[in-house]
Amino acid sequence: MAIAMTTGYSAQTEGALRCIEAASDWAIACVDALPQQSAYTLIDYGAADGGTAVGLWNSVLDRLHERQPQAHYTLVGNDLPSNDNLALAANVALQLSRPPSPTVLVSCRSFYEPLMAPGSVSFGFTATAMHWLSQSAGALDTHTHVQASGDAEALSRFTAQAMRDWNALLELRSKELQVGGRLLTVNLSRDEAGLYLGHNGGRTRNVHDQLHQIWREMADEGRISADHYRAATVMNFYKSPDEFMAPLKDTTSAAYRNGLRLIDQRTVYVECPYRRRWKENGDTASFASGLMATIRSWSRHSFASTAGDAAADELYGRLEKRIAAAPDEWSLDYVEHHQMMEKVAA
Ligand SMILES: C[S@@+](CC[C@H](N)C(=O)[O-])C[C@H]1O[C@@H](n2cnc3c(N)ncnc32)[C@H](O)[C@@H]1O
């Protein structure tokens, strides 16, 4: 399924950077557990322009190099063909100038396809990417995001698609990993209380409801057609911890049969950095434009691809005004699930 981040991704997504930082302890734990060998392959699945993960890969490569100065390292940045892959190539190349000077590669394919040779990956990492579905789970009649829709039928349709996708993803990754290799997935999720990105239990407004309200308003005013209103659906899904762990607890799943095992999991909350800064400096205009831009970075494609650029621009203009008019009622808080896995001999 074609999805795309807006250009200048890492400049607009400080929250995603904080989410990667919050997972760096487990990334180091993963590479510390790798067996001693002469060459290692590391891959970042769904890296966007790679800017948010430069620090993480610095730390991981430093750690591996310290433990094994003679080994050769290969770092692969992956994202869709529609991504800004030139920017990704430039960001992974930032690792070249310092020891251990890895080989760097870019893989411009979907992570729903086999990406690496069987048994070749030592450490696989992904952040804030695998909530995107591989294909449409169908339209929503009354909302733009399934998890805010309250539509039970749509929810079961999206859950089924999300679980097919997650099983397929883990099967693919379980083939690519070497025995003894580790996979760390850092994904947007839904916690036990039902909280997810943009829904913090009512402390501030539900961001998905706000996007939908503006979209509905534009349909009511005739700025977009009824078809555009219905077709604009954000095709992602925030899984629960049980849903993330399911293929690793099911001993008949393909990933399990290939030797993929759960080591540990946790849910981590990352508070909105834009709101925190606004609380410190009271600069409402910067808060409104920064928060709007970070929401736009992941949602714009869903609106622009169905109703066009002008309609999408109007949506985000209205969103920025809403934030500026009531800043205390806005925040984009992240709920991320970390899952550490290892491949054992099957
Ligand atoms: C929110 S960005 C996260 C980028 C980066 N990992 C981070 O944490 O800052 C999500 C990325 O996932 C990518 N993505 C979505 N579906 C994908 C797929 N099927 N294959 C590869 N990348 C995908 C998008 O293109 C986008 O760049």
Side-chain angles (χ1 to χ4, degrees):
M1 191 183 66
I3 74 134
M5 298 291 118
T6 52
T7 51
Y9 167 80
S10 52
Q12 297 168 0
T13 49
E14 194 183 334
L17 169 68
R18 303 279 162 250
C19 289
I20 290 178
E21 287 171 352
S24 59
D25 57 341
W26 276 19
I28 296 294
C30 281
V31 296
D32 278 353
L34 294 178
Q36 298 256 324
Q37 51 201 45
S38 58
Y40 295 87
T41 297
L42 321 168
I43 178 166
D44 188 344
Y45 301 101
D49 67 12
T52 46
V54 171
L56 177 105
W57 290 113
N58 271 341
S59 315
V60 163
L61 285 162
D62 280 353
R63 183 66 157 231
L64 281 165
H65 182 58
E66 194 183 299
R67 293 180 63 230
Q68 291 232 62
Q70 305 308 326
H72 183 83
Y73 299 93
T74 300
L75 173 62
V76 184
N78 158 258
D79 210 288
L80 289 166
S82 56
N83 181 55
D84 184 354
N85 288 309
L86 289 176
L88 176 55
N91 275 320
V92 290
L94 293 175
Q95 305 298 339
L96 290 175
S97 55
R98 41 204 293 289
S101 193
T103 298
V104 293
L105 301 169
V106 172
S107 142
C108 312
R109 300 299 305 169
S110 167
F111 49 52
Y112 288 108
E113 301 171 23
L115 295 177
M116 304 293 286
S120 67
V121 172
S122 320
F123 174 51
F125 175 79
T126 185
T128 316
M130 292 180 175
H131 55 299
W132 290 104
L133 302 178
S134 67
Q135 59 184 52
S136 170
L140 298 174
D141 291 330
T142 58
H143 212 288
T144 47
H145 197 279
V146 71
Q147 268 148 328
S149 71
D151 177 340
E153 179 280 323
L155 200 57
S156 80
R157 232 184 317 127
F158 273 68
T159 306
Q161 182 62 48
M163 292 313 292
R164 273 194 297 277
D165 282 351
W166 187 234
N167 273 282
L169 270 174
L170 290 185
E171 179 180 2
L172 286 163
R173 305 294 82 86
S174 67
K175 288 182 183 158
E176 291 169 355
L177 272 182
Q178 60 175 80
V179 170
R182 294 249 169 157
L183 175 65
L184 175 59
T185 58
V186 173
N187 277 306
L188 288 173
S189 67
R190 171 176 103 253
D191 74 1
E192 311 293 353
L195 306 187
Y196 51 80
L197 176 78
H199 171 45
N200 56 21
R203 281 189 290 119
T204 54
R205 300 183 193 181
N206 182 317
V207 169
H208 291 291
D209 277 343
Q210 292 294 311
L211 284 172
H212 170 252
Q213 272 182 24
I214 300 171
W215 201 236
R216 180 67 261 167
E217 187 180 273
M218 287 172 61
D220 291 344
E221 291 169 13
R223 308 285 300 168
I224 54 166
S225 70
D227 284 348
H228 289 151
Y229 166 76
R230 192 168 173 278
T233 299
V234 180
M235 277 304 161
N236 65 33
F237 187 85
Y238 308 132
K239 291 180 284 297
S240 69
D242 283 343
E243 287 163 348
F244 278 112
M245 287 185 279
L248 301 154
K249 293 198 167 170
D250 173 4
T251 56
T252 67
S253 78
Y256 190 96
R257 282 189 276 111
N258 288 341
L260 197 65
R261 297 290 182 269
L262 177 66
I263 304 281
D264 208 350
Q265 59 93 35
R266 66 187 178 191
T267 297
V268 172
Y269 300 86
V270 173
E271 277 188 23
C272 179
Y274 299 92
R275 180 181 174 84
R276 199 188 52 230
R277 198 166 309 118
W278 173 71
K279 285 278 184 192
E280 285 160 12
N281 66 17
D283 182 347
T284 299
S286 300
F287 176 45
S289 69
L291 186 62
M292 178 281 289
T294 205
I295 295 167
R296 185 180 57 191
S297 75
W298 47 262
S299 61
R300 188 177 199 281
H301 181 75
S302 308
F303 299 98
S305 63
T306 52
D309 287 337
D313 289 344
E314 186 164 343
L315 168 75
Y316 295 105
R318 292 185 187 204
L319 177 66
E320 187 171 343
K321 282 194 189 124
R322 279 191 182 214
I323 300 169
D328 204 29
E329 294 174 25
W330 287 83
S331 190
L332 185 71
D333 300 314
Y334 291 72
V335 182
E336 295 260 359
H337 184 257
H338 296 182
Q339 187 155 286
M340 199 196 290
M341 292 156 273
E342 181 189 16
K343 179 164 168 175
V344 300

